[in-house]
Amino acid sequence: MAEASDALAPRDEEIDPHFEPVIKLTEQVETKTNEEDEDVLFKMRAKLFRFETSNSEWKERGTGDVRLLAHKDTKKVRLVMRRDKTLKVCANHSITADMKLQPNIGSDRSWVWKVAADYSESPPTSETLAIRFANAENAAQFKEAFEQAQKTNAGIPASSAEDETKVSTETSEEPAETTETAKEAAEEPTAAEKEEAKEDAKEE
């Protein structure tokens, strides 16, 4: 029994075996975030919450860097936030003029606002979000950058995509009218058919 106890007792020198990997990964896989064409206007660490309407409770969505990104071509600004470590998107929406940052009750370092379409999930959902910063100064900087982004987006004309959709809708209605016109024209006898009908009447 003494020998068994000695075998289980810790030793001064433990052997730590080291094995070299059989295959070494030398190539790095490039991952795209769809943020390559955007400039970072604002970046600050915060914690994000969403309001769960089913039980009227605030649910934590994640902690990470909240950023305001401006597209290099269109200059349109959106809000994007990713969770630490996993980098999973927990907020992704355009900043519109109708959004209003409201102070959270009893806190000078958090804001609440409503989003008509948040694209962090598929399909996009309407959300009430709240964000909390480390201190009141950081919260004030976020509010200033957020409202500046609203002014920037308000000055940008309607996107070409919306114009294309409108043109496409108008164009899709025109063939229906053309079809009706063609139908009416097909029912009306041509000049040659009228002459042929007159000849038949004379022979009778």
Side-chain angles (χ1 to χ4, degrees):
M1 294 296 292
E3 293 181 358
S5 300
D6 293 340
L8 296 177
R11 300 182 180 181
D12 296 335
E13 295 183 2
E14 294 287 345
I15 299 176
D16 184 16
H18 176 72
F19 299 97
E20 291 290 337
V22 178
I23 301 175
K24 293 185 177 180
L25 300 178
T26 56
E27 296 183 1
Q28 293 183 350
V29 180
E30 182 181 357
T31 57
K32 291 187 177 181
T33 62
N34 295 326
E35 300 170 11
E36 290 77 14
D37 296 329
E38 295 172 303
D39 293 323
V40 180
L41 302 181
F42 179 88
K43 179 180 177 181
M44 189 168 288
R45 186 174 174 79
K47 182 175 288 188
L48 187 72
F49 302 83
R50 65 180 292 270
F51 188 74
E52 182 63 53
T53 56
S54 59
N55 53 13
S56 299
E57 290 182 356
W58 286 102
K59 298 285 187 178
E60 182 177 342
R61 249 195 177 180
T63 301
D65 290 330
V66 58
R67 294 172 298 155
L68 303 185
L69 305 178
H71 195 277
K72 295 179 181 179
D73 295 331
T74 65
K75 307 303 179 184
K76 191 172 184 179
V77 184
R78 64 172 175 148
L79 182 148
V80 176
M81 184 171 178
R82 293 179 180 272
R83 296 187 181 99
D84 287 340
K85 297 181 181 179
T86 63
L87 299 181
K88 184 178 180 181
V89 176
C90 56
N92 177 20
H93 65 79
S94 179
I95 300 177
T96 57
D98 59 337
M99 293 178 181
K100 185 177 180 181
L101 292 180
Q102 296 180 331
N104 199 5
I105 298 176
S107 176
D108 60 353
R109 58 191 182 102
S110 63
W111 302 104
V112 178
W113 73 100
K114 293 184 178 181
V115 180
D118 178 66
Y119 289 85
S120 59
E121 302 288 345
S122 182
T125 55
S126 175
E127 301 286 354
T128 299
L129 301 177
I131 193 166
R132 188 173 67 203
F133 295 91
N135 50 57
E137 182 181 354
N138 289 357
Q141 292 180 20
F142 172 77
K143 184 175 186 293
E144 182 181 355
F146 191 96
E147 293 176 346
Q148 181 58 49
Q150 287 180 304
K151 295 177 182 178
T152 300
N153 287 348
I156 297 175
S159 64
S160 58
E162 294 175 349
D163 295 339
E164 289 174 0
T165 304
K166 184 178 180 181
V167 171
S168 176
T169 304
E170 294 174 350
T171 306
S172 64
E173 295 174 352
E174 292 178 1
E177 298 176 357
T178 306
T179 303
E180 292 296 327
T181 305
K183 184 177 178 181
E184 294 174 0
E187 293 175 351
E188 185 178 348
T190 62
E193 290 174 340
K194 289 179 181 179
E195 290 295 330
E196 186 177 350
K198 289 181 181 178
E199 293 294 333
D200 292 342
K202 287 181 182 180
E203 291 179 359
E204 293 176 357

